[in-house]
Amino acid sequence: MGETRSLIEMRGIIKRFYVGQPHELEILHGIDLDVREGEFVAIVGASGSGKSTLMNVIGVLDRPTLGSYFLDGTVVEDAADAELSSIRNRKIGFVFQNFNLISRTSALKNVELPMMYAGVPQRRRTERAKELLDMVGMADRMNHQPSELSGGQKQRVAIARAMANDPAIILADEPTGALDSKTGRLVMDLFHQLNREQGKTIVFITHNGELAAETGRMLTMRDGLLYRGGEGGE
């Protein structure tokens, strides 16, 4: 098997808030991170460790203050805002703790939404949304709105939505945090399936060390720094 390509290359990533003000705050103190295609990487850390700030930078939801970030062929820190929005939509599938589904909209339409923004024709996006909902075991609930679904069902819809544009990376931020342990187990199994069967690259951000230990590689955030394995963790 040949060498896999690098999807994420971060060097010296620093993130400060209130820059130039008396209460300037540095959250990330120089992060180096490499993620290769097909990896399942966990970033584990306690609340306040900086992992949400790092997630926002990885997900191109926020720019680093200093440092370089190369994401699947694009130099992120040099990209214009419109290009960053396109990168987010095409290259990254997001799964959040609170699901972020649009209320009063069916599961099917929720999954179609990223494809609509990407300009996929109506018929094709409906076909693909149905395929993805079937893949996550939600085909029979495609016409239900989020208020009619359980937490685990909502998260499965969110995972289908994250896969809509066949992204290079799935970025999951505490995806089992709002679920009971049994439901969380089902969701975690789905991530393993996507990684193993479809070769999806997954960056999994969590405070749950047990789930993190199941992934291919575990990193620990502590006080704005990233450590290998369980080093520096709680």
Side-chain angles (χ1 to χ4, degrees), residues 33-50:
L33 175 65
D34 287 276
V35 178
R36 303 195 77 79
E37 190 173 32
E39 276 202 280
F40 191 169
V41 179
I43 298 173
V44 65
S47 180
S49 62

Side-chain angles (χ1 to χ4, degrees), residues 27-110:
I27 302 294
L28 303 178
H29 307 308
I31 300 290
D32 293 341
L33 175 65
D34 287 276
V35 178
R36 303 195 77 79
E37 190 173 32
E39 276 202 280
F40 191 169
V41 179
I43 298 173
V44 65
S47 180
S49 62
K51 65 184 190 300
S52 292
T53 301
L54 179 60
M55 190 280 293
N56 286 338
V57 175
I58 294 172
V60 201
L61 296 164
D62 206 354
R63 291 176 185 269
T65 309
L66 291 169
S68 64
Y69 180 15
F70 179 86
L71 171 65
D72 193 25
T74 301
V75 181
V76 170
E77 68 270 18
D78 293 343
D81 287 348
E83 189 181 355
L84 292 183
S85 178
S86 174
I87 290 166
R88 273 196 303 275
N89 194 42
R90 289 181 294 108
K91 293 187 183 291
I92 304 171
F94 292 94
V95 183
F96 297 100
Q97 178 174 343
N98 59 355
F99 320 121
N100 280 24
L101 298 176
I102 296 172
S103 59
R104 296 190 290 282
T105 303
S106 70
L108 185 68
K109 294 296 182 191
N110 265 283

Side-chain angles (χ1 to χ4, degrees), residues 16-27:
R16 298 181 184 132
F17 295 93
Y18 317 114
V19 175
Q21 299 179 40
H23 55 305
E24 181 173 308
L25 185 63
E26 187 171 292
I27 302 294

Side-chain angles (χ1 to χ4, degrees), residues 64 154 204 213 227-228 231:
K154 287 178 194 174
F204 180 79
Y227 300 85
R228 289 182 187 172
E231 293 173 42

